[in-house]
Amino acid sequence: MPYVLGIDIASTRTTAATCADQGEGWGMPEPLWLGAHGPAAASAVFLDDDGYLLTGDAALEAGRSAPARLLTGFHERVGDDVPVIVGGERFPAESLSAVLVDAAVDQAAERFGEKPRHLVLTHPGGWGSFRRELLRRALAEAGFPRAALVAAPIAALHAYLAPQGGVTAGVCEFGPDGAVVTIAAAGINGWQPVKSVEGVDPGEAVGKVFELAHGAGVQPQALAGIVLTGDAPGVPGRTPCPLFVSSDPVLTIATGAANIAARRDIPQPGGPRSDAVATVETTLLPRVDAPEELTERPERPPVDITPFPLPERTGAAKLLSRRKPLVAGAAVVVLAATTLLLTLTTREATADKGHQPPPAASTCAPAAPGAATTSPEGRC
């Protein structure tokens, strides 16, 4: 069944949502079950003793007995000059994020029987083009060259509000390090971030939205609404504008990403680009052989993307090949069993034949040019 997929990789958990083809259009977003006990899975990767990678809740469980091999918090480290190191191996953070994306896509493909028609992945709102470009390249290497990257607060707005009428709205993303508060304005290019503040006390997040709106010349009652996502606290009392919070706010950003994926109209290479894509998409993955130069640096700029030679098997594509240990192990066992069975069968077949005369010397020599072959023994 055709469907589209939205994925949100947060600091501690990964969520996803799908919109299935209903024949007359895409259906409403539905959460994709990624975790062992719920739709959300841990944003974690575990490197086992055999060099294979576990993801999600399985990685978190394995990390309880070997915490030194557990990788978390890497999505926020995309663009850092210091790679993630575990077990003596260096992993680019963006490649680990691509491993989580691949795991989510596999879950969706198992449910729907095929890969998603479109894929939208969110990223922190404070990312610039440098970090997006690194993630874009890792996704392309992992087999997702047409995925779209969208800022998390913009995806959250698309879960409830369409960008129309020149209105302004707010988003409160609640996480382990406080809340990230963003206000965005809707214009001809869709929702565009106006101002964002990180590390806000969760109890003051809604008030911070009103403060940012006032600074932008927008009265609180003129806001189209405020979307609450993540570990949202209790909804405060009456507010001057609508509050949007679902029964499970952790899924809100992924739901908005799925809505964006359902509205995408991906052009053919070289074809016209639709306005619908431009309104929500940060950037499309490049479809050229030679990637453009990285011009923007993050706050902690790496001096060199690869300051030292990385060992083999650290790229996104190579990491994906290490995510399914059971398949490789089963193939080795089957091959060994087959070889043993053939050996035993051969021994049984020749055990009672006694002494056999040595075979006649081969006469299968190349024929002289132009000579005709007169017997089967003369043919090679």
Side-chain angles (χ1 to χ4, degrees):
M1 175 186 297
Y3 67 100
V4 295
L5 176 64
I7 301 175
D8 173 47
I9 302 179
S11 59
T12 59
R13 58 179 160 248
T14 299
T15 55
T18 61
C19 292
D21 187 0
Q22 302 295 328
E24 297 180 355
W26 300 108
M28 296 295 293
E30 296 182 356
L32 179 66
W33 197 281
L34 298 180
H37 306 289
S43 295
V45 174
F46 180 83
L47 178 67
D48 68 10
D49 294 333
D50 297 323
Y52 290 102
L53 299 174
L54 301 176
T55 62
D57 290 352
L60 199 63
E61 183 64 26
R64 299 185 188 280
S65 58
R69 291 182 168 269
L70 182 65
L71 304 172
T72 59
F74 45 81
H75 193 58
E76 288 76 15
R77 292 185 58 181
V78 171
D80 282 4
D81 54 335
V82 180
V84 181
I85 302 176
V86 63
E89 293 193 58
R90 299 175 174 89
F91 298 94
E94 60 273 11
S95 295
L96 295 173
S97 296
V99 170
L100 293 185
V101 171
D102 182 70
V105 170
D106 277 357
Q107 290 275 18
E110 182 178 353
R111 174 180 173 183
F112 291 94
E114 60 182 86
K115 294 296 180 68
R117 184 74 57 86
H118 305 319
L119 170 63
V120 170
L121 175 65
T122 66
H123 61 80
W127 278 18
S129 61
F130 178 80
R131 287 182 170 93
R132 295 196 304 268
E133 180 69 20
L134 290 177
L135 182 58
R136 180 187 303 126
R137 295 183 179 187
L139 290 172
E141 184 183 355
F144 308 107
R146 301 293 297 275
L149 304 180
V150 177
I154 300 302
L157 288 172
H158 276 271
Y160 294 99
L161 298 169
Q164 58 185 3
V167 296
T168 301
V171 178
C172 297
E173 304 170 69
F174 297 94
D177 299 324
V180 179
V181 176
T182 304
I183 60 170
I188 58 175
N189 293 323
W191 287 114
Q192 298 294 327
V194 175
K195 182 70 174 179
S196 182
V197 179
E198 300 180 0
V200 179
D201 183 272
E204 301 175 356
V206 173
K208 178 62 71 172
V209 172
F210 296 143
E211 178 183 333
L212 295 179
H214 181 76
V218 179
Q219 296 300 317
Q221 60 272 20
L223 290 172
I226 301 175
V227 179
L228 307 184
T229 72
D231 299 316
V235 178
R238 297 183 60 182
T239 56
C241 67
L243 285 179
F244 299 97
V245 54
S246 70
S247 57
D248 192 352
V250 170
L251 301 172
T252 298
I253 295 178
T255 298
N259 272 336
I260 294 173
R263 296 168 186 168
R264 290 190 63 192
D265 182 18
I266 298 181
Q268 296 298 321
R273 180 185 178 89
S274 70
D275 292 338
V277 177
T279 60
V280 298
E281 188 177 86
T282 301
T283 180
L284 277 173
L285 298 181
R287 293 186 293 274
V288 295
D289 294 331
E292 60 184 6
E293 291 291 330
L294 302 180
T295 57
E296 180 185 341
R297 297 275 182 176
E299 295 179 1
R300 292 193 297 162
V303 177
D304 189 356
I305 300 281
T306 54
F308 37 75
L310 296 178
E312 192 177 359
R313 300 168 66 184
T314 58
K318 295 179 180 179
L319 288 185
L320 299 186
S321 66
R322 301 166 60 175
R323 203 173 55 78
K324 299 179 181 178
L326 295 181
V327 176
V332 173
V333 172
V334 171
L335 179 60
T338 304
T339 304
L340 178 61
L341 179 61
L342 290 176
T343 303
L344 294 178
T345 303
T346 303
R347 289 180 177 176
E348 291 176 0
T350 60
D352 299 329
K353 289 186 178 181
H355 177 72
Q356 298 292 332
S362 174
T363 60
C364 189
T373 301
T374 58
S375 65
E377 290 77 5
R379 289 195 297 267
C380 295

